[in-house]
């Protein structure tokens, strides 16, 4: 017989729920919520792990790119120092730097592509190592060749210096051998009657001073015009000098000197006799006089006379 609800005060009284059913219902709901939370958490952890793995791969690839950039800088420097062509490498380096700047903006799908580029850059570095080795070898060969040429040049320069030295010695010897010399100098006093006297003289005997000598034959001397200068030095050290009688100056051993008389001749390598007649126009001081003969700034010979 079906149980009826109780009636109190004319209204039906509801039957109270079963506590066991309520507890079971709550447990089911809690289980579903916990299960859903666990599923969501597991999915979240899986995504996070995948993301961390991807980021680690990206970081590794970026680090390798950065290392490749540094190594490429080193290769460019070495090749430049060795005289190699670096324009292409610099363009590649600029491209690599652009790749680094754009790297962080790229999607994770580019990881394999970046790894391939890293491999390509490694091959490039290997190729540049080979280029560096080739350039080093070429420079070493060039250094050996240049050293040989330098040694040959030094030997040639030494030979040239030796030849120049010999040439200068020969020229010096020829110049010395070509110098003219005199012999048989005679210094006489000539009075107003034309009578000649040998030294020593008295002033009354000297109207003109006659100086004569022979220029010695010289086969190596050049055939040319010569100025033969006679310098008469008084006992006080002063040169007898008068421009009205043809006196002048010349250079001897780097200093200016006076000469008393001059003759111009054409020297033809044969012996020549020269005679000078000099009229001083005044008395000679007593003492010994020095007579020197010059040409081309060197002395040809000398003699002396005395005045009482």
């Amino acid at each position: 017989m079906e149980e009826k609800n109780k009636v109190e005060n004319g209204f039906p009284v509801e039957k109270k729920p079963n506590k066991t059913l309520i507890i079971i219902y709550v447990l089911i709901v809690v289980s579903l919520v916990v299960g859903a939370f666990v599923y969501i958490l597991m999915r979240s952890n899986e995504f996070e792990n995948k993301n961390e793995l991807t980021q680690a791969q990206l970081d590794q690839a970026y680090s390798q790119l950065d290392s490749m950039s540094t190594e490429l800088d080193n290769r460019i420097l070495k090749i430049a120092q060795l005289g190699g062509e670096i324009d292409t490498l610099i363009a590649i380096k600029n491209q690599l730097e652009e790749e680094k700047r754009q790297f962080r903006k790229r999607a994770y799908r580019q990881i394999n592509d970046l790894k391939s580029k890293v491999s390509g850059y490694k091959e490039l570095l290997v190729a540049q190592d080979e280029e560096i080795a080739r350039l080093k070898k070429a420079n070493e060969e060039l250094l050996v060749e240049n050293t040989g040429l330098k040694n040959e040049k030094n030997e040639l320069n030494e030979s040239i210096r030796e030849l120049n030295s010999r040439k200068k010695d020969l020229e010096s010897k020829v110049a010395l051998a070509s110098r003219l010399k005199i012999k048989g100098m005679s210094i006489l006093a000539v009075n107003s009657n034309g009578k000649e006297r040998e030294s020593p003289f008295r002033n009354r005997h000297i109207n003109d001073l006659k100086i004569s000598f022979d220029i010695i034959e010289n086969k190596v001397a050049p055939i040319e015009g010569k100025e033969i200068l006679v310098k008469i030095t008084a006992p006080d050290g002063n040169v007898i000098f008068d421009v009205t009688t043809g006196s002048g100056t010349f250079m001897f051993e780097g200093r200016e000197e006076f000469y008393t008389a001059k003759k111009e001749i054409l020297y033809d390598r044969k012996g020549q006799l020269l005679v000078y007649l000099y009229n001083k126009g005044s008395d000679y001081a007593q003492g010994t006089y020095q007579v020197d003969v010059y040409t081309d700034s060197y002395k040809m010979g000398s003699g002396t006379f005395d005045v009482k």
Side-chain angles (χ1 to χ4, degrees):
M1 182 175 178
E2 185 179 352
E3 186 178 0
K4 296 180 179 180
N5 291 336
K6 294 181 179 181
V7 177
E8 293 182 358
N9 299 323
F11 294 92
V13 178
E14 290 183 357
K15 184 178 180 179
K16 293 182 180 180
N18 192 311
K19 291 182 178 181
T20 301
L21 293 175
I22 292 173
I23 291 171
I24 292 171
Y25 175 77
V26 169
L27 287 175
I28 291 171
V29 171
V30 169
S31 298
L32 291 174
V33 171
V34 170
F37 177 77
V38 169
Y39 176 77
I40 292 171
L41 182 62
M42 289 177 66
R43 291 286 294 175
S44 176
N45 287 338
E46 181 181 359
F47 175 79
E48 214 170 271
N49 289 336
K50 287 184 178 180
N51 186 58
E52 289 177 359
L53 178 61
T54 302
Q55 187 63 44
Q57 290 173 330
L58 286 171
D59 290 340
Q60 181 181 9
Y62 184 85
S63 176
Q64 289 177 324
L65 277 174
D66 192 59
S67 177
M68 292 303 103
S69 177
T70 302
E71 290 296 322
L72 194 54
D73 280 338
N74 293 335
R75 299 310 193 280
I76 291 172
L77 179 60
K78 288 180 180 179
I79 291 176
Q81 290 173 343
L82 291 170
E85 195 275 332
I86 61 171
D87 291 343
T88 302
L89 292 180
I90 291 176
I92 294 174
K93 172 66 168 53
N94 293 335
Q95 180 183 351
L96 193 153
E97 290 299 320
E98 181 61 24
E99 290 288 346
K100 286 171 58 181
R101 284 191 290 270
Q102 297 297 327
F103 181 85
R104 295 298 185 184
K105 300 178 182 179
R106 295 179 182 176
Y108 294 133
R109 69 175 180 272
Q110 295 176 305
I111 292 177
N112 291 334
D113 181 51
L114 290 174
K115 286 183 177 180
S116 297
K117 289 186 177 182
V118 168
S119 177
Y121 287 132
K122 285 182 178 180
E123 292 179 3
L124 175 64
L125 292 179
V126 171
Q128 297 314 307
D129 284 338
E130 293 175 356
E131 176 66 7
I132 289 172
R134 185 189 69 79
L135 288 172
K136 282 184 176 180
K137 183 178 179 181
N139 278 313
E140 288 172 358
E141 292 174 353
L142 184 60
L143 179 61
V144 171
E145 182 179 351
N146 286 340
T147 301
L149 290 175
K150 185 177 180 181
N151 291 335
E152 291 179 5
K153 181 180 178 182
N154 289 338
E155 292 175 359
L156 180 59
N157 287 339
E158 183 63 29
S159 298
I160 292 173
R161 282 193 293 269
E162 185 176 350
L163 287 174
N164 286 335
S165 177
R166 290 181 180 178
K167 180 182 177 183
K168 288 181 180 179
D169 290 342
L170 181 59
E171 288 175 349
S172 178
K173 291 178 180 178
V174 170
L176 188 61
S178 65
R179 285 187 174 187
L180 304 182
K181 296 181 180 180
I182 65 172
K183 68 177 181 178
M185 179 180 283
S186 172
I187 305 173
L188 302 173
V190 182
N191 65 16
S192 57
N193 296 323
K195 186 177 180 179
E196 298 178 349
R197 288 181 174 84
E198 294 183 352
S199 175
F201 316 124
R202 294 185 185 276
N203 268 295
R204 67 175 180 272
H205 300 147
I206 310 173
N207 186 63
D208 293 312
L209 196 64
K210 181 180 179 181
I211 303 170
S212 62
F213 50 82
D214 289 308
I215 299 177
I216 300 173
E217 178 182 301
N218 189 328
K219 296 299 185 182
V220 297
I223 298 174
E224 60 184 358
K226 293 283 189 182
E227 289 184 343
I228 310 301
L229 313 176
V230 172
K231 182 176 77 170
I232 303 173
T233 306
D236 62 1
N238 291 320
V239 176
I240 296 177
F241 179 89
D242 186 353
V243 293
T244 63
T245 60
S247 298
T249 61
F250 69 105
M251 296 302 296
F252 177 70
E253 295 182 350
R255 65 180 185 274
E256 189 176 34
E257 297 280 354
F258 294 100
Y259 64 84
T260 307
K262 175 179 73 172
K263 278 185 179 291
E264 294 183 1
I265 66 169
L266 174 63
Y267 184 73
D268 58 0
R269 297 178 179 171
K270 297 177 182 178
Q272 294 187 36
L273 174 64
L274 291 187
V275 179
Y276 293 76
L277 283 176
Y278 182 73
N279 190 319
K280 183 173 178 292
S282 61
D283 289 343
Y284 287 83
Q286 293 182 355
T288 300
Y289 288 76
Q290 177 78 24
V291 179
D292 296 307
V293 182
Y294 297 87
T295 188
D296 295 338
S297 299
Y298 65 85
K299 186 185 292 187
M300 298 171 64
S302 61
T304 61
F305 68 91
D306 295 311
V307 177
K308 293 183 178 180

